[in-house]
Amino acid sequence: MAVVRYLASGMVDACQFDVRSCGKMGPPADGGGVGVGYELQAVIAKDELLRGVSRDLPAARLASLGQGLSLIPMTDQLYDAAMDGTEGPLGFWRLPGGFDKRLADWSAAGPVAYVEAEYFGGVGEQHAAVWAYGAVVLGPLHAPDGQPFGSAGSPISQALRRLGVVVEAAATDEFATVRLDRHRRTEDWIA
């Protein structure tokens, strides 16, 4: 049986055996099954920064990542609450119109990343940007389908590195270090 596994970097690899035998990824930690899809849209920053700014967004929910970081998943509820009616900026799929201004404001207290990844059946792409001191300082980065990540790594790993993530010995990159692979869908981060 051919199945798909997700490498820590967000890339996809086909296996010729059951997903539980495909190395460390196996079934997702949330019990989501074989896993032919992965999607994430989220704000990532230091725990204390996100705790403070999320008070003004009742729809925001925090999930801890480790290394002092948390994420706020861009759930449907948060997207609807944050949308200002303008078109989403910077080429992202799910960054609400006007939300980039909020991220810039938040970044006065420390760097803030917005990341997106979507993979299904072995194809997909990633986007990432980092704000600091009120401006975009990294990106927006885009890794389209079919193009390998360069020596700097995936857009999401580059953003995490900019936020201070240090790759742990057992991990292949920043993405794996903070275990962004533990859930297959954005909404699962708050389930």
Side-chain angles (χ1 to χ4, degrees):
M1 162 171 89
V3 296
V4 173
R5 75 173 171 171
Y6 289 83
L7 303 175
S9 62
M11 293 301 289
V12 198
D13 188 20
C15 302
Q16 295 301 315
F17 43 86
D18 186 72
V19 71
R20 289 176 295 278
S21 302
C22 285
K24 68 180 182 177
M25 287 299 292
D30 64 359
V34 168
V36 293
Y38 176 87
E39 55 102 4
L40 175 67
Q41 299 91 29
V43 176
I44 303 175
K46 293 289 185 186
D47 297 321
E48 59 276 0
L49 189 156
L50 289 183
R51 270 195 303 275
V53 299
S54 66
R55 290 185 195 118
D56 296 331
L57 290 169
R61 301 290 180 264
L62 268 67
S64 179
L65 293 177
Q67 293 204 11
L69 297 178
S70 287
L71 67 73
I72 297 175
M74 186 55 70
T75 61
D76 291 339
Q77 294 82 7
L78 179 56
Y79 183 87
D80 292 343
M83 183 62 140
D84 73 358
T86 63
E87 188 172 320
L90 305 173
F92 289 101
W93 309 302
R94 291 273 299 172
L95 184 61
F99 203 73
D100 57 321
K101 292 174 185 68
R102 188 174 293 208
L103 295 173
D105 290 344
W106 293 354
S107 74
V112 178
Y114 181 76
V115 302
E116 294 183 342
E118 188 170 280
Y119 291 91
F120 185 81
V123 296
E125 54 190 295
Q126 285 189 21
H127 297 262
V130 177
W131 287 256
Y133 308 106
V136 174
V137 296
L138 178 69
L141 304 173
H142 177 224
D145 179 42
Q147 291 190 5
F149 301 140
S151 60
S154 74
I156 293 175
S157 284
Q158 290 180 59
L160 291 168
R161 190 175 316 123
R162 188 68 182 243
L163 295 178
V165 172
V166 177
V167 177
E168 295 174 349
T172 56
D173 61 9
E174 294 82 1
F175 188 102
T177 295
V178 297
R179 296 193 52 234
L180 284 177
D181 58 352
R182 72 184 97 161
H183 298 294
R184 300 258 193 245
R185 295 185 330 257
T186 298
E187 303 278 338
D188 293 342
W189 284 94
I190 59 169

